[in-house]
Amino acid sequence: MSFTFAHNNINVADLDRALSFYENALGLVETRRISAPDGSFVLVYLGDGVTPHLLELTWLREHPQAYNLGENEFHIALAADDFEEAHRKHQEMGCICFENAAMGIYFIADPDGYWIEIVPKK
């Protein structure tokens, strides 16, 4: 028996705002969408166009408050083919929330406060 990654999920308060952020900051694009017939939820899957791994954004109508992210120790990571250019873009967007120059990485925060690690492509 073996397993392969399919997707990671995060819940978002404002789906349009989250979609705009992930497209502008990381170039992720919508690959499919599932909407509940009663409008109670929407699932949007984002892909990078290179790997099969997806990020699932979940919007829930009945969850108007901010999500509790705890200590924000969990995160997703993406590798940038041009690390310096990515850093400049994210700096201009004002979304860098933590940098570790010694390790050669930094983190950006999405509109809901989730941290995304940016690493140089090896």
Side-chain angles (χ1 to χ4, degrees):
M1 176 173 20
S2 67
F3 298 90
T4 58
F5 280 104
H7 67 265
N8 290 87
N9 167 264
I10 59 173
N11 288 23
V12 300
D14 182 328
L15 185 57
D16 291 333
R17 185 174 171 205
L19 287 170
S20 178
F21 174 83
Y22 282 97
E23 180 178 351
N24 291 329
L26 300 168
L28 301 181
V29 295
E30 184 174 333
T31 62
R32 68 184 166 123
R33 179 182 291 238
I34 300 170
S35 300
D38 66 358
S40 61
F41 71 85
V42 177
L43 308 177
V44 177
Y45 294 87
L46 304 177
D48 60 16
V50 178
T51 67
H53 193 89
L54 299 173
L55 178 61
E56 175 188 2
L57 304 180
T58 298
W59 173 82
L60 302 170
R61 181 181 62 209
E62 300 300 324
H63 198 285
Q65 70 276 21
Y67 286 95
N68 180 349
L69 303 182
E71 295 180 10
N72 219 349
E73 287 297 321
F74 61 92
H75 63 272
I76 59 175
L78 284 91
D81 63 349
D82 187 337
F83 187 80
E84 289 76 22
E85 181 61 26
H87 187 274
R88 274 191 293 279
K89 177 182 181 110
H90 294 143
Q91 204 164 35
E92 289 171 7
M93 292 177 69
C95 60
I96 295 176
C97 57
F98 180 77
E99 294 187 63
N100 187 328
M103 290 182 67
I105 63 170
Y106 66 94
F107 290 80
I108 60 175
D110 84 351
D112 289 282
Y114 293 102
W115 282 26
I116 300 126
E117 181 178 359
I118 307 299
V119 300
K121 190 167 259 182
K122 302 210 186 251

